[in-house]
Amino acid sequence: MKLIWTIGAAALFATSLAQAQTLPENYPADYPDLVTEANAEGSLLIYTNLSGDNLNPIIEAFNAAYPDIAVESIEMGPAEAFTRYQAETGTGVASADLVIANSITDWISAVNKGMLDAYVSPETANVPEWSYPEPGLYTISTDPMVTIYNKITVPEGLQLSSMEDYFAAIAESRDVFEGKVGTYDGRYAFGGAIGYAFARYHGDPAWDWFENAGPLTRPGGGAGGMIERTLSGELSSSFVVSGPVVFNRLKQEGLGEVLGWTFPSDGTPVFLRGMGITAGAPHPAAAKVFLDFVLSEDGQYAVAAGNLTPYRPGVITSDELSYSLDEVIEAIGGEDKMILIDYDPEMVETFDAFTARWGEAFNM
């Protein structure tokens, strides 16, 4: 049974912590001084590709604990968050204190360019090591990718969880799937990072699957578009679709009668959504306190309330159509079935070659 933890409960808990001025045992003794400094700064600016629906529950819970720190977020494309910060700081303009984005290649570039404050959070003892792979680079959520089906147009026997079987079915059951399969475009940063990690995990068989089934698919567009096209019957199925977007959409009454989904049973891609304090942050103390809060237990419950996937061990979500990473791992049968879409420097070095090969396999 899932532990019910609403955003109101998280906020109440956070408020009681702040009022009692208690901190976890592993926090440094001078952490209250950091909080005092953050309160004096009084504000925080975030550049992010998260929507308000995703980020507002986190801000609400944070402000319950730290009401003296006003948080502003500006939504933009993931790559734009980095280019805008560089352009502004390059001309001496005050810019973002913190960036939250899901562009693996841009994060690697930001690390290499020294764009991040190498802050060491006291919460690192409580989260997996892979979630902070570089100095200053952290993870806000770990979003699984799923396969979706139109349950009306795809027979139950073809609603497969194994990706090996799925790609075989696309090639063999053309009356159902030909020209009616969606996925992200692997020639671009987000889809390319997923495809790269998928091919790295499965090896040569992945390229056989891509080459056999790729020409029958219609890559392109985001998760919302793939869901709508699958619901309408324009697509019969879509693969490696952002799970949190699917789960949130399924909360609408009746959609589950048409839209089916599954975690890939032979390897579920999990995307690390990055978070980091900028090297030139105008409000560095407030940014540190915010980052620490996001990594904390009540912060991770707030991440779940924002329809994202919390990854801190022990966090269990309150909704049957919501998953924490612990629940994803249990559902897919173990960590060895998890394909972490991580910050592999080799991906950056070979990305052009990968995208060219992917485009050829998918006839694009």
Side-chain angles (χ1 to χ4, degrees):
M1 178 180 295
K2 292 188 177 183
L3 174 66
I4 296 177
W5 185 283
T6 66
I7 191 62
L12 181 62
F13 178 65
T15 301
S16 67
L17 281 181
Q19 291 173 341
Q21 295 185 334
T22 59
L23 293 169
E25 292 182 2
N26 63 303
Y27 274 44
D30 62 352
Y31 197 85
D33 295 336
L34 178 66
V35 174
T36 298
E37 184 179 349
N39 287 334
E41 290 174 351
S43 64
L44 167 69
L45 176 61
I46 302 172
Y47 287 173
T48 181
N49 70 316
L50 289 177
S51 69
D53 289 342
N54 298 132
L55 193 56
N56 287 344
I58 302 171
I59 295 174
E60 179 184 339
F62 174 75
N63 280 147
Y66 302 100
D68 295 328
I69 304 173
V71 181
E72 179 187 359
S73 67
I74 300 178
E75 184 179 349
M76 61 188 72
E80 184 186 354
F82 296 94
T83 57
R84 178 167 171 174
Y85 170 79
Q86 285 184 286
E88 289 172 340
T89 55
T91 56
V93 175
S95 189
D97 298 292
L98 193 139
V99 173
I100 300 173
N102 62 351
S103 178
I104 298 292
T105 53
D106 285 310
W107 278 116
I108 294 174
S109 176
V111 169
N112 291 338
K113 292 178 180 178
M115 291 171 58
L116 300 183
D117 184 321
Y119 175 61
V120 179
S121 170
E123 289 290 349
T124 56
N126 303 313
V127 293
E129 287 189 16
W130 49 255
S131 70
Y132 52 97
E134 299 287 347
L137 176 55
Y138 291 89
T139 300
I140 184 172
S141 68
T142 50
D143 300 328
M145 304 292 125
V146 301
T147 305
I148 60 175
Y149 295 95
N150 183 307
K151 293 162 69 174
I152 297 172
T153 64
V154 180
E156 186 175 353
L158 292 178
Q159 296 173 29
L160 303 163
S161 60
S162 161
M163 293 307 293
E164 180 177 10
D165 294 342
Y166 176 78
F167 283 113
I170 293 172
E172 295 168 2
S173 301
R174 298 193 175 205
D175 57 322
V176 175
F177 293 114
E178 185 171 7
K180 293 186 176 183
V181 177
T183 192
Y184 296 112
D185 193 330
R187 297 171 300 169
Y188 300 99
F190 185 72
I194 298 171
Y196 179 89
F198 185 92
R200 182 185 61 191
Y201 180 87
H202 287 288
D204 289 339
W207 287 107
D208 293 336
W209 303 340
F210 290 167
E211 289 163 3
N212 290 333
L216 307 177
T217 70
R218 295 171 58 189
M226 284 189 276
I227 292 168
E228 292 302 324
R229 292 160 66 201
T230 304
L231 280 167
S232 71
E234 179 185 344
L235 298 177
S236 295
S237 176
S238 299
F239 64 95
V240 294
V241 185
S242 175
V245 180
V246 173
F247 305 148
N248 190 48
R249 191 75 170 84
L250 282 170
K251 292 176 183 178
Q252 297 185 24
E253 186 175 355
L255 287 193
E257 299 298 317
V258 179
L259 191 68
W261 70 275
T262 181
F263 289 121
S265 59
D266 47 1
T268 292
V270 171
F271 204 102
L272 307 187
R273 191 179 295 272
M275 170 176 62
I277 300 168
T278 61
H283 309 97
K288 292 171 184 176
V289 171
F290 184 87
L291 184 145
D292 293 338
F293 176 80
V294 171
L295 300 182
S296 72
E297 183 173 310
D298 42 322
Q300 286 285 287
Y301 277 109
V303 166
N307 296 314
L308 299 173
T309 309
Y311 63 94
R312 182 181 168 115
V315 171
I316 304 297
T317 59
S318 62
D319 192 321
E320 292 302 323
L321 280 172
S322 178
Y323 287 80
S324 68
L325 187 62
D326 277 357
E327 294 170 291
V328 172
I329 290 171
E330 181 179 3
I332 65 179
E335 288 190 45
D336 61 318
K337 298 289 185 67
M338 179 174 64
I339 304 175
L340 278 180
I341 303 165
D342 57 10
Y343 304 92
D344 185 345
E346 187 175 331
M347 181 183 69
V348 177
E349 297 169 7
T350 62
F351 197 67
D352 288 345
F354 170 83
T355 56
R357 185 177 180 183
W358 190 98
E360 184 177 349
F362 282 79
N363 275 359
M364 298 189 75

